[in-house]
Amino acid sequence: MTNTPFPDGFLWGGATAANQIEGAYDADGKGLSVQDVMPRGISGPRSETPTADNLKLVGIDHYHRYAEDIALFAEMGFGVYRFSIAWSRIFPKGDETEPNEAGLAFYERILDELEKHGIEPLVTISHYETPLHLAEQYGGWTNRELIGFYERYARTLFERFGSRVKYWLTFNEINSLLHAPFMSGGIPIPEGGVPEQQLYQAMHHELVASARATRIAREVAPEAKVGCMVLSMPIYPLTPSPDDAVAVMEADHGNLVYGDVHTRGAYPGYFLRTLREKGIELDITDQDRDDLTHTVDFVSFSYYMSIAETADPAKKVAGEGNIMGGVSNPTLEASEWGWQIDPVGLRLVLNQFWDRWQKPLFIVENGLGARDQLVEVDGEKTVVDDYRIAYLNDHLVQVGEAIEDGVEVLGYTSWGCIDIVSASTAQLSKRYGFIYVDRGDDGTGSLDRYRKKSFGWYADVIRSNGASLTR
Ligand code: BGP
């Protein structure tokens, strides 16, 4: 194929997370994670114990149907599959000294299946799945002890799977911590919110843990490539006023600091200013500073939407967003869940990250959450999801543009390549997949899988290495 900007060996695939796909929440010695008490997603109330209305307890039963699912991924021609390991399958409470063998064995079976189909695994070590015990007994990532527990968990994974898994991500969307402390950092939220001092300390602990994992991987699994993972959301000035431009710069800094630390090995000056102005003093040891110098091999990120920002309080019309919001951009259309669709923003983000960090980039989440309708076409049940095809096509065209701009992109894994439970709303009706799963928001359904129209479309994109995209 010549008519494509995508380089040979570009990794095409899809992505999921354990808590949204596996189900089997208490099988084979698994402990509870924060997700097991979040029946309504990020903004809903948490439950004391797991409740039947929590769709994640069953998910799409990938725990038992993984072979069928991976075979469908292979049919689309996936070269890579991103999944996460549920921390509480490996260390059920999080603070044990010995791992749960049955949990490790499950991921061994997943790796066997991927290997059988020649699909490269891309593993997220922690994807919004902190063991509940660490949240309740330790206060989650506000507690320095979490670094040691995470270190033991990461070491266990590198020792066991390091020779089979080349690409690792330390924390999913690490920059979501301040915005979703319980889901992202296992930090219980008291009335009035978590004090900022504690949130920033938790952020520091995660950054140190991420760097330590990178250091351990170098020792234990020298072939492995370790990346960070950030939620990307380009921010546009609402007007051309310099004040709006400064508001954008400051909002941007709040997100870029994570990648800056991961790629440069120290906190940037603008972040120290933020801490000073907030009157926050972080507990940073000499060992922490040394750990932070272990920088990542690549940067990965999610991309769904962009947002705007303004310095003028009178013009602030809140926009819906993926975990973190901003000001609504009047030039863009939004999805049914209010996320503003902006393919060009993906090219901008790719260029910004590449210019800033000079590390290979991996797009590990992108897609459209939409309501789908199962229909019958030529005797086969399917979904005619032209809206999803249009969204993905237009974003991939922009990835091609960025590659032409000289950005090094390792691969692309579209989010929720099979329908899974939504992270923000805990719904099943917010679907991203190429594969429809028969399960509704009320939990009923056969769990049968059906190929959507986008399934064949994506297979063509992969087969042609992007040449079939409509420009
Ligand atoms: C990201 C998360 C994912 C995922 C995705 C889509 O923030 O890393 O876990 O779910 O967003 O979000 P949602 O499921 O809320 O539509």
Side-chain angles (χ1 to χ4, degrees):
M1 286 306 155
T2 46
N3 186 23
T4 178
F6 293 89
D8 285 346
F10 186 84
L11 288 166
W12 295 97
T16 63
N19 71 86
Q20 295 171 257
I21 187 172
E22 287 176 0
Y25 80 101
D26 62 353
D28 299 330
K30 179 181 170 292
L32 296 180
S33 89
V34 292
Q35 294 289 347
D36 297 321
V37 295
M38 294 179 68
R40 293 286 162 270
I42 302 178
S43 38
R46 48 168 291 199
S47 56
E48 282 304 308
T49 52
T51 48
D53 60 339
N54 186 344
L55 292 177
K56 292 180 184 177
L57 305 188
V58 173
I60 59 157
D61 195 32
H62 179 73
Y63 192 76
H64 299 108
R65 297 167 194 244
Y66 65 90
E68 179 192 349
D69 294 341
I70 291 171
L72 286 164
F73 301 158
E75 196 181 316
M76 277 186 278
F78 279 21
V80 62
Y81 171 51
R82 174 185 176 220
F83 63 97
S84 74
I85 292 185
W87 189 344
S88 65
R89 281 199 197 284
I90 311 303
F91 289 97
K93 293 167 96 176
D95 58 0
E96 298 90 340
T97 50
E98 293 302 321
N100 169 33
E101 183 52 41
L104 289 166
F106 170 64
Y107 295 104
E108 204 128 70
R109 294 199 291 278
I110 296 260
L111 291 177
D112 289 346
E113 210 58 33
L114 291 172
E115 208 168 284
K116 197 166 101 188
H117 292 288
I119 300 175
E120 183 102 51
L122 165 59
V123 172
T124 317
I125 297 172
S126 178
H127 191 132
Y128 298 157
E129 293 144 347
T130 308
L132 186 60
H133 177 75
L134 297 185
E136 290 180 336
Q137 297 302 311
Y138 294 86
W141 280 95
T142 59
N143 191 322
R144 182 173 278 279
E145 281 195 79
L146 271 268
I147 300 176
F149 300 143
Y150 178 90
E151 192 176 333
R152 185 178 299 142
Y153 166 50
R155 183 182 287 279
T156 303
L157 299 186
F158 293 140
E159 282 175 353
R160 185 73 173 245
F161 305 128
S163 58
R164 306 183 69 184
V165 177
K166 183 164 165 202
Y167 297 103
W168 296 84
L169 308 179
T170 53
F171 287 93
N172 181 63
E173 298 188 333
I174 189 165
N175 53 327
S176 63
L177 181 70
L178 304 189
H179 307 270
F182 187 63
M183 181 173 80
S184 185
I187 304 170
I189 306 176
E191 206 146 314
V194 185
E196 277 197 321
Q197 169 76 40
Q198 287 183 26
L199 283 178
Y200 280 94
Q201 190 63 47
M203 163 186 176
H204 173 66
H205 292 154
E206 283 200 356
L207 287 168
V208 170
S210 179
R212 277 209 204 167
T214 309
R215 204 195 65 201
I216 294 166
R218 305 263 188 272
E219 285 163 28
V220 180
E223 302 295 303
K225 301 269 179 231
V226 182
C228 58
M229 195 304 200
V230 293
L231 185 166
S232 79
M233 202 186 284
I235 308 172
Y236 303 120
L238 192 64
T239 74
S241 94
D243 286 346
D244 279 5
V246 170
V248 167
M249 180 189 76
E250 288 177 346
D252 245 349
H253 277 163
N255 286 322
L256 293 170
V257 58
Y258 298 82
D260 283 353
V261 174
H262 273 105
T263 57
R264 298 172 179 162
Y267 287 111
Y270 65 79
F271 180 70
L272 301 179
R273 175 180 185 171
T274 302
L275 295 182
R276 256 190 336 265
E277 291 182 353
K278 287 179 179 291
I280 290 171
E281 274 187 47
L282 292 186
D283 169 29
I284 303 179
T285 66
D286 289 344
Q287 178 67 48
D288 291 349
R289 281 183 220 284
D290 184 61
D291 284 331
L292 288 180
T293 64
H294 292 82
T295 53
V296 288
D297 298 303
F298 67 100
V299 173
S300 75
F301 64 92
S302 62
Y303 179 80
Y304 294 93
M305 58 171 293
S306 64
I307 202 89
E309 194 46 89
T310 175
D312 181 352
K315 294 206 185 107
K316 278 195 188 263
V317 179
E320 297 284 330
N322 180 14
I323 301 181
M324 45 190 86
V327 174
S328 179
N329 181 340
T331 70
L332 297 174
E333 302 284 324
S335 80
E336 217 183 308
W337 278 264
W339 296 15
Q340 294 201 301
I341 299 171
D342 178 16
V344 172
L346 179 51
R347 176 180 177 191
L348 294 174
V349 144
L350 283 160
N351 273 276
Q352 181 192 31
F353 288 179
W354 175 248
D355 291 347
R356 192 175 180 100
W357 296 323
Q358 293 283 297
K359 297 272 185 188
L361 301 175
F362 212 132
I363 304 153
V364 295
E365 285 188 33
N366 173 237
L368 177 70
R371 278 179 216 281
D372 286 338
Q373 218 191 327
L374 199 60
V375 294
E376 217 165 281
V377 176
D378 299 332
E380 295 280 338
K381 284 191 179 155
T382 185
V383 175
V384 185
D385 53 347
D386 291 313
Y387 39 92
R388 182 168 294 109
I389 292 173
Y391 178 102
L392 294 171
N393 180 82
D394 295 353
H395 283 75
L396 284 168
V397 166
Q398 295 300 323
V399 176
E401 291 291 327
I403 292 171
E404 301 274 23
D405 292 332
V407 179
E408 188 180 343
V409 188
L410 296 171
Y412 173 91
T413 57
S414 82
W415 178 251
C417 44
I418 180 166
D419 293 345
I420 54 179
V421 184
S422 149
S424 58
T425 65
Q427 295 168 298
L428 246 157
S429 54
K430 190 178 185 191
R431 297 171 183 273
Y432 286 85
F434 303 112
I435 300 160
Y436 183 92
V437 177
D438 179 20
R439 187 165 192 235
D441 287 344
D442 60 359
T444 61
S446 63
L447 289 166
D448 286 348
R449 276 68 165 146
Y450 300 100
R451 294 165 189 79
K452 301 182 193 175
K453 185 175 176 187
S454 56
F455 184 100
W457 171 85
Y458 196 45
D460 283 343
V461 171
I462 297 176
R463 200 175 312 116
S464 67
N465 200 26
S468 65
L469 293 167
T470 311
R471 291 184 180 81

